[in-house]
């Protein structure tokens, strides 16, 4: 027969739940609760329930138990250590132990280093300092416990570049952890490193404010950007790859940073570059990962630095990269992953305050709305504070210009609201955007930061999947088609998307157009080029090229914020791989040869960007302006045509006609006004200077093309 192990756990600050074998149950069962230091804890009430083969005890204490002590439940002759259970997820715990100090983490000065960590359920905390990253033996120093469960110690002396770990006694065992606020780490994040951040101040080039609708976002992965053999970039796969100028491809055209400048994008959005776990930093070329597996949120990933063994180098090189991008007029948005951690069981969060940082289902199981094994509980006070402190740190220390919140739908709405408000105080023009997918995390729908609740957080933008799907077909069905690849039913929704999804004719998603991130592809899912090979496999490449170009024109001419997946302008392919998060470079790299192969198409996109930047008509700020100036035009099946009128107070062009022909025939459209029309987009050419002039009541638009004219 299985032996039943008695156990006890704290579920509220004044309640312990215990379970003992039924044979130890007696009418006069003696129950006593003591702290390890011998002090008795007065009990108010004990409730017994017989659940064969055990007796469940619910022990209510007179007062709240103070955390920071080990408790022992004396149950007849048994002494049960009391484990910390779901008490850490109660409101009382959050209210009593919330700490609002700004000194968490490591603080270095020449004469001393201080460590401060929030660990209310720990009963002892120490720090070990190691002279070298690989040392196993070090110098141990004790912490002192302060109010709110904060532990701190200040060690005199100059400890610059020493490494450290914490030892915490929790749940009757010692855990070794690294401070979640740590700014620098050793290779693979095994230890923290004490750094003098003052030494890494670089000259920055503050850029003028860019309003959201004026941004053009370009999403790229650090490694993908330069790893291709013909990138012409020396520091392949590294932060420094973004700092090289005058780099050229095989046929001598611009690559790298110079190319970004030439293309005219305003923001690069970088896939995660805080320390993540899936790439061995000792062998960065043996693995590839997008990096959505965070370990240290304040520290930098080592595999992108030229020397991952030195925790300082990555800080220096990342700063150099950001400063260089700024110097070239490009702002930087960071992709941040506050929805889950790499492995929750071994995370510093779990080792420091077990059970606190993650969300649980009602049945006690770990929530998994993210689909990767854990959901971070943003609604808890110290989690929310951690997220805010981290974002502020990146803005202040690294001069980051915006954040892309991965799976933001996991956040509680209140946290998103607080982020919105508090970050605005630091940098009013910080660009905030997120994935507002509604995921099965245990929060009521009205408390989730999803696209459906976008109106509640009007200065955060959302990836507009509705527009994306009507452009090129659903992500969930490989062969589903959208406007560009043969689905004429999408016309109404395409017009909505072109009008910023603010509720032009149908139900809207957003309060203002800048909330809409307009895109047809990103790092996730098939690239559009690959999708077209499934939806339109019989079509010639030339036809698919036109479809693709039409899609990019929709994105760049729509009201809202255009977002390009790097290489989309030269028909990026991932060789048919959908979820390429850990696929080799061959699949993920930006193929600079294609950039040279599709030179004309790149020019088309570049000129669309220039046209958008030169004409505020495509960057309207409000729903009212959109409703006032945009009028749909009569158009045949599978064609979206609209007219923008009375723009004289907004744009140098007074009337604009835009026609997107998704059909396979040349169509005829009646123009809204007589007189001369200056054609600026026709077939595969975009030009800011009119290509030609027509003076006719009707215009003909070629299959699968965009046409634009003004007067
Ligand atoms: Ca790492």
């Amino acid at each position: 027969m299985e032996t039943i192990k008695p156990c006890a756990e704290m579920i509220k600050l004044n309640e312990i739940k215990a379970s003992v074998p039924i044979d130890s149950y007696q009418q006069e069962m003696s129950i006593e609760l003591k702290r390890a230091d011998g002090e008795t804890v007065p009990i108010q009430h004990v409730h017994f329930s017989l659940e064969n083969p055990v007796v469940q005890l619910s022990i209510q204490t007179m007062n709240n138990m103070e955390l920071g002590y080990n408790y022992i439940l004396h149950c007849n002759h048994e002494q049960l250590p009391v484990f910390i259970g779901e008490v850490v997820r109660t409101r009382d715990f959050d209210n009593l132990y919330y700490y609002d100090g700004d000194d968490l983490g490591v603080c270095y000065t020449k004469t001393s280093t201080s460590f401060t960590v929030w660990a209310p359920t720990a009963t002892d905390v120490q720090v070990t300092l190691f002279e070298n990253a690989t040392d196993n033996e070090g110098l141990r120093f004790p912490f002192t416990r302060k109010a709110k469960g904060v532990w701190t110690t200040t060690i005199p002396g100059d400890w610059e570049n020493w490494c450290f770990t914490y030892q915490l006694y929790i749940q009757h065992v010692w855990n070794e952890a690294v401070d979640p606020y740590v700014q620098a780490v050793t290779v693979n994040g095994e230890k923290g490193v004490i750094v003098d951040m003052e030494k890494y101040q670089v000259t920055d080039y503050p850029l003028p404010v860019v309003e959201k609708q004026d941004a053009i976002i370009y999403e790229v992965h650090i490694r993908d950007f330069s790893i291709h053999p013909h990138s012409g970039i020396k520091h392949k796969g590294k932060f420094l790859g973004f700092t090289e100028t005058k780099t050229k491809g095989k046929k001598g055209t611009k690559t790298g940073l110079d190319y970004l400048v030439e293309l005219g994008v305003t923001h690069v959005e970088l896939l995660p570059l805080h320390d993540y776990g899936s790439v061995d930093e000792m062998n960065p070329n043996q693995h590839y990962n997008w990096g959505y597996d965070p370990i240290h949120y304040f520290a930098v990933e080592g595999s992108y630095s030229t020397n991952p063994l030195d925790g300082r180098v990555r800080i220096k090189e990342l700063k150099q990269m950001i400063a260089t991008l700024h110097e070239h007029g490009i702002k930087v948005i960071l992709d941040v992953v506050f929805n889950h951690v790499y492995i929750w069981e071994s995370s510093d969060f779990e080792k420091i305050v077990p059970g606190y940082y993650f969300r649980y289902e009602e049945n006690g199981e770990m929530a998994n709305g993210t689909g990767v094994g854990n959901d971070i509980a943003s609604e808890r006070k110290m989690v929310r504070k951690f997220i805010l402190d981290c974002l502020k740190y990146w803005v202040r220390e690294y001069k980051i210009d915006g954040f892309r919140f991965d799976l933001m739908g996991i956040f509680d709405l209140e946290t998103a609201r607080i982020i919105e408000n508090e970050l605005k105080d630091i940098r009013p023009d910080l660009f905030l955007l997120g994935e507002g997918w509604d995921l099965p995390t245990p929060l009521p729908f009205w408390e989730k930061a999803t696209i459906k609740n976008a109106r509640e957080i009007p200065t955060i933008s959302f990836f507009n999947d509705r527009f994306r799907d009507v452009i090129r077909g659903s992500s969930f069905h490989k062969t589903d088609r959208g406007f560009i690849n043969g689905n004429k039913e999408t016309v109404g929704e395409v017009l909505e998307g072109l009008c910023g999804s603010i509720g032009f004719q149908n139900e809207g998603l957003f309060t203002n157009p800048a909330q809409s991130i307009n895109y047809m592809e990103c790092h996730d899912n098939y690239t559009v080029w690959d999708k077209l090979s499934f939806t339109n496999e019989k079509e010639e490449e030339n036809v698919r090229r036109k479809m693709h170009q039409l899609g990019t024109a929709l994105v760049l001419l729509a009201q809202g914020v255009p977002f390009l997946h790097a290489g989309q302008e030269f028909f990026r392919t991932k060789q048919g791989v959908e979820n390429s998060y850990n696929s080799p470079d061959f699949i993920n790299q930006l193929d600079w040869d294609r950039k040279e192969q599709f030179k004309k198409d790149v020019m088309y996109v570049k000129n669309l960007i220039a046209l958008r930047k030169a004409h505020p008509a495509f960057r309207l700020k409000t729903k009212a302006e959109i409703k006032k100036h945009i009028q749909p035009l009569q158009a045949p099946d599978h064609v979206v045509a609209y007219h923008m009128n009375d723009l004289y107070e907004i744009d140098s062009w007074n009337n604009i006609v835009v026609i997107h022909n998704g059909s396979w025939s040349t169509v005829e459209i009646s123009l809204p006004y007589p007189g001369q029309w200056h054609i600026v987009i026709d077939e595969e050419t975009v030009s800011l200077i009119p290509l030609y002039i027509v003076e006719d009541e009707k215009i003909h638009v070629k299959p699968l093309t965009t046409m634009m004219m003004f007067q």
Side-chain angles (χ1 to χ4, degrees):
M1 201 183 123
E2 205 187 335
T3 43
I4 295 151
K5 265 187 106 180
C7 59
E9 90 177 10
M10 196 186 294
I11 59 164
K12 289 182 188 160
L13 287 168
N14 62 353
E15 186 176 346
I16 286 171
K17 221 167 84 180
S19 166
V20 295
I22 203 155
D23 50 16
S24 61
Y25 178 72
Q26 299 160 347
Q27 240 10 51
E28 66 281 20
M29 192 174 185
S30 87
I31 303 285
E32 223 184 342
L33 181 62
K34 283 189 172 178
R35 286 197 333 210
D37 60 4
E39 195 164 311
T40 303
V41 181
I43 291 173
Q44 190 177 44
H45 176 75
V46 181
H47 177 79
F48 299 87
S49 85
L50 291 166
E51 289 173 27
N52 205 3
V54 295
V55 184
Q56 299 283 7
L57 309 178
S58 164
I59 300 137
Q60 306 273 335
T61 59
M62 296 285 282
N63 307 305
N64 278 345
M65 285 168 277
E66 200 179 328
L67 297 176
Y69 293 95
N70 289 311
Y71 289 87
I72 313 287
L73 185 68
H74 297 251
C75 192
N76 291 347
H77 302 296
E78 298 258 23
Q79 291 191 16
L80 307 179
V82 177
F83 285 84
I84 305 294
E86 59 197 71
V87 57
V88 294
R89 297 192 288 279
T90 60
R91 209 169 280 261
D92 283 346
F93 173 85
D94 235 6
N95 290 335
L96 275 171
Y97 289 92
Y98 172 69
Y99 175 70
D100 67 355
D102 58 3
D103 55 351
L104 292 176
V106 186
C107 179
Y108 165 86
T109 70
K110 272 204 162 343
T111 52
S112 70
T113 294
S114 305
F115 299 89
T116 308
V117 63
W118 182 73
T121 57
T123 56
D124 195 359
V125 181
Q126 302 175 355
V127 60
T128 307
L129 301 184
F130 305 91
E131 190 161 12
N132 303 298
T134 49
D135 291 354
N136 292 322
E137 300 286 321
L139 310 170
R140 273 210 182 200
F141 298 89
F143 278 63
T144 317
R145 186 178 172 109
K146 297 199 305 179
K148 309 284 182 191
V150 169
W151 295 78
T152 186
T153 188
T154 299
I155 305 166
D158 185 351
W159 300 96
E160 192 188 357
N161 210 30
W162 278 61
C163 306
F164 72 95
T165 56
Y166 292 161
Q167 287 70 43
L168 307 104
Y169 196 72
I170 302 175
Q171 305 286 43
H172 310 275
V173 290
W174 285 100
N175 287 343
E176 186 173 40
V178 178
D179 195 307
Y181 279 74
V182 74
Q183 298 148 313
V185 288
T186 60
V187 70
N188 291 325
E190 281 158 8
K191 292 187 178 89
V193 181
I194 300 167
V195 282
D196 180 4
M197 290 305 285
E198 288 299 315
K199 286 194 175 158
Y200 310 109
Q201 300 308 317
V202 291
T203 315
D204 197 50
Y205 302 83
L207 293 172
V209 169
V210 172
E211 289 196 52
K212 269 190 150 179
Q213 68 281 353
D214 299 344
I216 294 151
I217 301 174
Y218 193 76
E219 186 200 38
V220 65
H221 181 273
I222 300 287
R223 187 175 168 90
D224 296 351
F225 187 63
S226 52
I227 202 74
H228 189 273
H230 301 149
S231 69
I233 295 167
K234 281 197 226 72
H235 294 98
K236 288 192 168 48
K238 307 296 178 195
F239 293 130
L240 292 183
F242 282 82
T243 64
E244 295 177 31
T245 54
K246 300 196 172 58
T247 59
K248 298 226 151 61
K250 218 166 61 175
K251 290 185 185 155
T253 71
K254 286 178 183 169
T255 61
L257 177 59
D258 286 356
Y259 169 68
L260 291 182
V261 172
E262 181 183 56
L263 190 61
V265 296
T266 62
H267 291 65
V268 289
E269 182 185 302
L270 301 162
L271 269 72
L273 51 76
H274 43 60
D275 181 32
Y276 62 81
S278 53
V279 168
D280 177 7
E281 296 177 4
M282 295 292 276
N283 299 292
N285 291 333
Q286 284 180 11
H287 309 91
Y288 175 95
N289 211 289
W290 283 342
Y292 293 93
D293 43 79
I295 295 195
H296 298 108
Y297 287 89
F298 285 64
V300 179
E301 166 59 18
S303 62
Y304 301 141
S305 85
T306 57
N307 181 8
L309 291 170
D310 187 335
R312 298 169 294 182
V313 174
R314 52 184 89 171
I315 296 174
K316 220 166 88 188
E317 291 178 346
L318 173 57
K319 287 200 169 193
Q320 213 175 321
M321 172 182 120
I322 294 165
T324 311
L325 283 162
H326 284 170
E327 193 186 347
H328 287 80
I330 297 171
K331 297 198 179 197
V332 178
I333 296 174
L334 268 200
D335 195 335
V336 284
V337 191
F338 290 110
N339 57 76
H340 78 285
V341 299
Y342 184 34
I343 301 167
W344 71 268
E345 293 92 332
S346 58
S347 67
D348 295 320
F349 287 159
E350 187 63 13
K351 287 182 190 164
I352 294 173
V353 192
Y356 180 75
Y357 286 89
F358 303 99
R359 210 172 269 156
Y360 287 71
E361 297 288 352
E362 238 166 74
N363 64 8
E365 275 176 29
M366 182 67 63
N368 187 21
T370 57
V372 279
N374 62 84
D375 297 352
I376 287 179
S378 57
E379 67 279 17
R380 288 197 198 115
K381 287 186 169 184
M382 289 304 284
V383 181
R384 185 178 284 162
K385 174 179 165 57
F386 176 83
I387 296 172
L388 272 165
D389 286 349
C390 187
L391 295 170
K392 289 175 186 172
Y393 174 77
W394 280 98
V395 175
R396 289 186 176 129
E397 186 64 48
Y398 287 92
K399 319 289 180 213
I400 290 300
D401 306 287
F403 296 103
R404 178 253 190 213
F405 299 106
D406 186 56
L407 304 186
M408 187 173 68
I410 289 289
F411 282 22
D412 66 301
L413 199 51
E414 185 62 11
T415 296
R417 261 193 219 112
I418 293 171
I419 289 173
E420 206 182 14
N421 291 329
E422 291 205 13
L423 292 186
K424 214 183 299 161
D425 293 342
I426 305 181
R427 273 274 306 273
D429 66 326
L430 210 60
F431 200 118
L432 303 178
L433 71 158
E435 290 184 306
W437 322 139
D438 189 1
L439 301 163
T441 195
L443 281 182
F445 78 87
W446 62 88
E447 281 178 19
K448 293 180 181 179
T450 56
I451 201 163
K452 283 199 186 105
N453 293 326
R455 287 180 185 80
E456 305 287 326
I457 35 178
T459 63
I460 299 183
S461 307
F462 289 78
F463 284 89
N464 187 342
D465 59 336
R466 194 197 282 182
F467 190 32
R468 177 197 69 192
D469 287 0
V470 295
I471 292 176
R472 48 66 154 170
S474 162
S475 287
F476 299 108
H477 308 285
K478 203 170 168 174
T479 53
D480 188 52
R481 296 173 183 214
F483 180 79
I484 62 168
N485 44 352
N487 184 352
K488 63 181 182 185
E489 306 304 324
T490 54
V491 165
E493 282 293 333
V494 167
L495 182 66
E496 262 325 298
L498 288 166
C499 294
S501 300
I502 41 81
F504 185 67
Q505 286 176 332
N506 305 338
E507 196 196 342
L509 291 171
F510 306 119
T511 56
N512 60 77
Q515 270 196 295
S516 182
I517 300 295
N518 300 323
Y519 73 121
M520 70 169 187
E521 69 175 64
C522 66
H523 66 276
D524 277 318
N525 309 119
Y526 293 116
T527 66
V528 170
W529 189 248
D530 289 348
K531 187 167 169 72
L532 291 174
S533 72
F534 305 124
T535 57
N536 299 75
E537 55 180 344
K538 295 206 175 86
E539 262 47 87
E540 284 181 18
E541 184 179 292
N542 192 39
V543 176
R544 283 188 265 133
R545 227 163 40 79
K546 279 176 185 261
M547 293 174 167
H548 198 289
Q549 209 164 60
L550 177 62
T552 299
L554 287 167
V555 166
L556 281 166
L557 297 175
Q559 301 293 336
V561 183
F563 171 106
L564 301 174
H565 181 216
Q568 172 182 335
E569 62 285 14
F570 40 89
F571 311 124
R572 184 164 179 173
T573 170
K574 295 194 289 177
Q575 322 295 339
V577 177
E578 186 183 21
N579 186 1
S580 62
Y581 77 100
N582 65 355
S583 299
D585 290 329
F586 167 69
I587 304 294
N588 281 301
Q589 68 191 352
L590 261 196
D591 182 346
W592 292 101
D593 287 348
R594 283 177 84 82
K595 187 235 149 186
E596 299 194 310
Q597 184 188 345
F598 297 108
K599 227 158 75 181
K600 266 194 71 183
D601 306 270
V602 173
M603 179 74 87
Y604 182 86
V605 177
K606 185 189 141 192
N607 289 347
L608 273 175
I609 290 173
L611 188 147
R612 182 182 175 90
K613 281 171 135 180
H615 291 281
F618 300 98
R619 298 179 271 121
L620 298 178
K621 294 178 188 174
T622 63
K623 180 174 174 170
E625 274 189 320
I626 289 172
K627 287 207 157 190
K628 182 177 166 198
H629 294 289
I630 301 183
Q631 313 287 335
L633 287 175
Q634 274 289 331
D637 259 10
H638 210 160
V639 177
V640 178
Y642 61 95
H643 167 216
M644 300 182 78
N645 54 19
D646 299 328
L647 296 165
Y648 52 89
E649 280 180 345
I650 296 171
D651 206 291
S652 57
W653 296 344
N654 189 36
N655 292 316
I656 303 174
V657 166
V658 185
I659 305 154
H660 298 286
N661 181 4
S663 80
W664 290 33
S665 340
T666 297
V667 295
E668 190 181 76
I669 302 281
S670 299
L671 295 172
Y673 299 118
Q676 289 191 338
W677 287 93
H678 302 258
I679 310 294
V680 284
I681 304 181
D682 187 19
E683 290 195 65
E684 293 181 20
T685 314
V686 178
S687 172
L688 279 115
I689 303 156
L691 298 162
Y692 57 97
I693 294 172
V694 290
E695 200 168 349
D696 207 336
E697 284 171 11
K698 291 179 173 23
I699 193 95
H700 292 94
V701 187
K702 293 268 164 59
L704 296 171
T705 63
T706 294
M707 195 163 189
M708 188 195 290
M709 62 214 74
F710 72 89
Q711 59 173 207

